[in-house]
């Protein structure tokens, strides 16, 4: 009997070892390696079921567009959520409203709250080394999405994000969808560039983008920023000759005296605030753009229309109709937006929906 017991125990040990070896092989087969926008080789699960999107704020809209749903998205940054709740994103993908955003508190990642979400992967802004370290220290695969490696080229950046998503999820149907989305963006860009190619400098209006304008701060968007692409591609001249964001005052605005002003959705200010000269301590009535009523608030579709996001080709067309209205008088933005939303989001927009996109709420700034 003792011999039988010994043999049986030995068999159990062998079977246990074989089971462990098989598990390790299965685990190895269940992982893949991708290269993110930092150049890092990231080992990710073959099957991804829980995704958190951190500091790469516009990516939630691109993710939902690419996936065709908000499926698997369990966490997103509070600033992205503020935009989502005041945008069309939650109407098309209502489950986005239930995505958790408590893992970011006071602008920083709370690792305890993040771990509660049990993410398979986290997407973050590639330049945010501090955030990357938090994820890596917690043992969570962190994939960096860059806003700068395409040198602020909005269509290239939008395409770059979609391409990386297609590598992460690696499904034939979604790969084909990625190509369709990317090809459409480049087709729009070619059309815009072809029409403005022969413009002289004198035919290009002087444009200023107010990036952040609230009670205590006013910044304009210069070069080495998305503003360069948005203004120059459809035939404008950026008056802000500085890198990134430049803190300014009214005296600087008077000196530039822009022909047109665009206000981003990162600012709670609306176009009518300037046009009606209702801002305490700032007299906008002498500025050319205000006099000629060429002050515009960026629309807000699936996300804020300034950084690259899922509506990026629409942003380029909308800006073209404002900056060079005669060259692009044939573009019917109502139709372009409706067609785009039908094709890529599967929704039929009504006229009321369009008005909501064209007239975003102050709250969408997240401030």
């Amino acid at each position: 009997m003792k011999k039988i017991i010994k043999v049986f125990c030995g068999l159990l040990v062998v079977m246990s070892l074989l089971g462990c070896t098989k598990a390790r092989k299965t685990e190895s087969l269940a992982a893949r390696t991708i290269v993110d926008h930092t150049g890092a080789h990231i080992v990710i699960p073959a099957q991804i079921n829980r995704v958190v999107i951190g500091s790469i704020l516009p990516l939630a809209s691109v993710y939902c567009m690419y996936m065709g749903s908000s499926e698997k998205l369990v966490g997103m940054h509070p600033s992205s959520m503020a935009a989502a709740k005041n945008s069309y994103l939650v109407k098309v993908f209502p489950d986005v409203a239930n995505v958790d955003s408590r893992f970011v508190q006071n602008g920083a990642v709370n690792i305890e709250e993040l771990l509660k979400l049990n993410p398979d992967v986290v997407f973050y802004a590639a330049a945010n080394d501090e955030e990357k370290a938090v994820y890596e220290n917690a043992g969570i695969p962190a994939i960096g999405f860059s806003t700068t490696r395409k040198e602020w080229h909005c269509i290239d950046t939008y395409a770059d994000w979609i391409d990386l998503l297609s590598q992460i999820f690696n499904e034939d149907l979604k790969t084909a969808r990625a190509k369709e989305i990317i090809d459409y963006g480049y087709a729009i860009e070619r059309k815009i560039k072809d029409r403005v190619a022969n413009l002289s400098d004198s035919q290009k209006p002087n444009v200023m983008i107010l990036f952040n304008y609230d009670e205590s701060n006013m910044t304009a968007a210069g070069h080495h920023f998305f503003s360069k692409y948005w203004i120059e591609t459809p035939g404008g001249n950026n008056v802000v000759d500085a890198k990134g964001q430049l803190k300014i005052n009214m005296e600087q605005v008077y000196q530039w005296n822009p022909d047109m002003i665009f206000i981003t959705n990162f600012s709670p200010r609306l176009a009518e605030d300037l046009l009606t000269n209702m801002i305490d301590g700032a007299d906008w009535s002498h500025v050319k753009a205000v006099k000629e009523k060429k002050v515009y608030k960026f629309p807000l579709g699936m996300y804020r229309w300034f950084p690259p996001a899922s509506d990026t080709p629409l942003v380029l067309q909308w800006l073209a109709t404002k900056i060079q209205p005669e060259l692009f008088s044939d573009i019917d933005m109502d139709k372009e937006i409706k067609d785009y939303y039908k094709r890529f989001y599967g929704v039929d927009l009504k006229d009321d929906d369009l008005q909501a996109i064209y007239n975003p709420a102050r709250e969408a700034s997240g401030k």
Side-chain angles (χ1 to χ4, degrees):
M1 178 63 68
K2 287 183 180 179
K3 287 183 178 180
I4 292 172
I5 292 172
K6 284 182 179 178
V7 170
F8 180 71
C9 290
L11 286 170
L12 285 177
V13 170
V14 171
M15 289 172 67
S16 175
L17 289 172
L18 288 172
C20 290
T21 302
K22 183 178 181 181
R24 281 195 294 271
K25 286 182 178 178
T26 302
E27 184 177 349
S28 175
L29 290 171
R32 295 185 294 113
T33 300
I34 63 157
V35 180
D36 75 358
H37 291 166
T38 70
H41 289 71
I42 314 295
V43 178
I44 62 173
Q47 189 66 256
I48 296 173
N49 295 309
R50 300 180 67 80
V51 175
V52 169
I53 300 178
S55 55
I56 186 73
L57 303 183
L59 189 64
S61 70
V62 179
Y63 174 90
C64 290
M65 179 192 203
Y66 169 77
M67 297 291 286
S69 73
S70 59
E71 183 185 4
K72 303 180 181 181
L73 184 60
V74 298
M76 62 190 287
H77 196 284
S79 182
S80 296
M81 183 61 76
K85 287 183 175 179
N86 289 281
S87 73
Y88 210 79
L89 189 66
V90 293
K91 294 182 181 180
V92 179
F93 307 108
D95 289 344
V96 166
N98 302 320
V99 172
D100 201 304
S101 60
R102 291 172 294 181
F103 72 97
V104 175
Q105 298 175 0
N106 299 317
V109 174
N110 181 305
I111 194 62
E112 289 79 12
E113 291 295 329
L114 178 66
L115 291 175
K116 289 178 185 177
L117 298 176
N118 192 28
D120 293 319
V121 291
V122 178
F123 304 153
Y124 73 100
N128 197 329
D129 293 334
E130 184 177 341
E131 185 179 4
K132 177 184 179 181
V134 171
Y135 300 141
E136 288 184 340
N137 290 338
I140 304 169
I143 301 171
F145 285 74
S146 176
T147 58
T148 61
R149 80 175 194 148
K150 297 298 182 178
E151 298 181 348
W152 307 108
H153 187 296
C154 296
I155 291 287
D156 276 355
T157 301
Y158 149 95
D160 210 25
W161 292 353
I162 293 167
D163 180 65
L164 183 52
L165 286 172
S166 72
Q167 293 178 50
I168 293 165
F169 292 98
N170 195 32
E171 298 173 22
D172 290 341
L173 285 175
K174 288 192 172 65
T175 300
R177 178 172 173 79
K179 184 178 185 306
E180 181 187 6
I181 296 168
I182 291 169
D183 288 350
Y184 180 87
Y186 281 121
I188 294 297
E189 184 187 60
R190 283 193 299 273
K191 180 175 77 172
I192 302 297
K193 284 186 171 181
D194 286 348
R195 291 199 193 178
V196 303
N198 297 320
L199 287 177
S200 65
D201 288 343
S202 63
Q203 292 174 301
K204 297 177 180 179
N206 290 324
V207 180
M208 179 179 74
I209 293 179
L210 284 173
F211 180 78
N212 185 5
Y213 186 23
D214 54 30
E215 298 298 330
S216 59
N217 191 35
M218 180 162 58
T219 62
H223 301 288
H224 296 277
F225 204 15
F226 300 123
S227 41
K228 175 179 173 61
Y229 180 86
W230 288 139
I231 294 173
E232 293 181 2
T233 306
N237 173 55
N238 190 357
V239 298
V240 186
D241 189 15
K243 289 185 177 182
Q245 295 181 55
L246 178 68
K247 190 168 184 177
I248 60 172
N249 54 32
M250 287 307 301
E251 292 303 319
Q252 179 63 75
V253 175
Y254 296 150
Q255 183 178 337
W256 286 330
N257 198 26
D259 299 313
M260 296 179 181
I261 296 173
F262 293 88
I263 307 170
T264 79
N265 301 121
F266 292 97
S267 168
R269 299 292 189 198
L270 304 179
E272 52 261 40
D273 297 342
L274 277 62
L275 292 170
T276 59
N277 206 28
M278 63 174 287
I279 302 170
D280 290 340
D283 184 1
W284 287 91
S285 65
H286 302 295
V287 179
K288 184 178 180 183
V290 174
K291 289 180 181 179
E292 298 184 359
K293 301 189 183 307
K294 293 180 179 178
V295 179
Y296 310 100
K297 179 78 171 182
F298 273 89
L300 176 62
M302 291 295 186
Y303 185 73
R304 303 176 179 109
W305 277 20
F306 178 77
S310 61
D311 288 347
T312 285
L314 294 175
V315 184
L316 185 55
Q317 292 177 91
W318 177 78
L319 284 165
T321 64
K322 301 301 182 187
I323 293 174
Q324 292 291 342
E326 292 183 6
L327 277 181
F328 297 100
S329 59
D330 62 317
I331 293 180
D332 179 346
M333 280 310 303
D334 289 3
K335 183 179 185 304
E336 292 294 336
I337 295 172
K338 285 182 177 181
D339 289 351
Y340 188 87
Y341 272 56
K342 179 66 175 178
R343 178 174 178 179
F344 293 112
Y345 305 124
V347 295
D348 292 302
L349 294 182
K350 296 180 173 57
D351 290 342
D352 287 349
D353 298 321
L354 284 177
Q355 290 309 308
I357 289 171
Y358 289 138
N359 299 284
R362 296 182 191 276
E363 293 77 16
S365 68
K367 296 179 181 179

